Amino acid sequence: RDKIESVNIDKNADACMPKIETKVLEMSTVNPSESKAVIENDEQKKEQHPDEEGQSLGGKQEEQKTIIFAIPKKPPKTAYEFNRVFKSLIKDTESLQKYMYDVVTPDDYKRVFSKSASLEAETLSDIISAMKNIQDISSEHLCEKKTLDIMNSIATSPGFEFALMFLSKGEKRDLEFIFESLEKKSIDTSSARVVYKLGKN
């Protein structure tokens, strides 16, 4: 009985080429011309029989779920705590609205951002963007007076003037949108417009 020994072909020079292996087959025929070797590609094996590592990764991906953060019942004690909760809720406008308007009071904003380095430019930008989105989709359910109170409270921070300098044109348009929404509800924003360096409407 003739034997066709296995041949391993491994082209390290080309990482894109698959490694090809041939099985050892015992041939019953004597005529070498009639002998055939069955070549199986490793990549085909992997598709039919995924290895344990692949199964493990797939399982982990299937287990991934959207994490829903609970709204705290108490206001933040520091700017760091405010930012941490704020960022965890930023993709859920309804929950973020409850946190910013119901949990955190205007006085809390004053206290949290009372230190000179507590209100960063990024934080101010994020708050403006969030309030614009809240006004845009939930204006019928908002207390407009509280919106203005929050804006005024944030402006009392020692770092407010510096953070205001870094607002982009788009963020200033968001500010304008917020004030115009308040003015449509007969809220006087003239003083706040001066503080936020916006012209009169």
Side-chain angles (χ1 to χ4, degrees), residues 122-158:
E122 182 182 358
T123 303
L124 179 61
S125 299
D126 288 343
I127 291 175
I128 291 172
S129 178
M131 294 187 75
K132 187 267 180 185
N133 292 335
I134 292 172
Q135 291 285 331
D136 196 18
I137 69 173
S138 308
S139 58
E140 295 181 359
H141 308 288
L142 286 180
C143 174
E144 291 80 12
K145 181 63 169 57
K146 184 175 285 188
T147 299
L148 186 61
D149 289 342
I150 293 172
M151 300 293 288
N152 287 331
S153 295
I154 293 172
T156 63
S157 170

Side-chain angles (χ1 to χ4, degrees), residues 39-194:
I39 301 177
E40 295 181 357
N41 193 306
D42 280 354
E43 295 300 323
Q44 293 176 342
K45 287 183 181 179
K46 290 179 181 179
E47 291 179 2
Q48 295 175 1
H49 305 286
D51 56 20
E52 293 181 0
E53 182 180 356
Q55 290 177 347
S56 177
L57 289 174
K60 289 180 180 179
Q61 290 175 353
E62 291 178 359
E63 291 176 0
Q64 288 181 352
K65 297 180 181 179
T66 302
I67 300 175
I68 300 176
F69 292 91
I71 305 172
K73 296 181 179 180
K74 296 182 179 180
K77 295 180 179 179
T78 63
Y80 172 81
E81 185 180 348
F82 172 84
N83 284 323
R84 180 174 58 80
V85 177
F86 180 93
K87 290 183 182 298
S88 72
L89 300 173
I90 199 165
K91 293 184 179 180
D92 185 350
T93 304
E94 183 178 350
S95 296
L96 187 59
Q97 173 189 327
K98 291 178 180 178
Y99 179 67
M100 293 182 66
Y101 282 75
D102 298 335
V103 178
V104 187
T105 68
D107 287 339
D108 290 326
Y109 284 100
K110 286 183 180 180
R111 175 178 50 78
V112 166
F113 296 118
S114 61
K115 295 181 180 180
S116 58
S118 59
L119 182 65
E120 298 178 352
E122 182 182 358
T123 303
L124 179 61
S125 299
D126 288 343
I127 291 175
I128 291 172
S129 178
M131 294 187 75
K132 187 267 180 185
N133 292 335
I134 292 172
Q135 291 285 331
D136 196 18
I137 69 173
S138 308
S139 58
E140 295 181 359
H141 308 288
L142 286 180
C143 174
E144 291 80 12
K145 181 63 169 57
K146 184 175 285 188
T147 299
L148 186 61
D149 289 342
I150 293 172
M151 300 293 288
N152 287 331
S153 295
I154 293 172
T156 63
S157 170
F160 172 76
E161 291 285 344
F162 184 75
L164 193 65
M165 294 170 55
F166 291 92
L167 292 183
S168 66
K169 291 181 179 179
E171 289 159 349
K172 289 180 180 179
R173 283 195 295 268
D174 289 346
L175 265 178
E176 186 64 44
F177 177 89
I178 295 171
F179 286 127
E180 287 180 357
S181 298
L182 298 179
E183 289 158 0
K184 288 178 181 178
K185 303 293 176 63
S186 301
I187 302 295
D188 183 10
T189 64
S190 56
S191 297
R193 279 183 171 275
V194 173

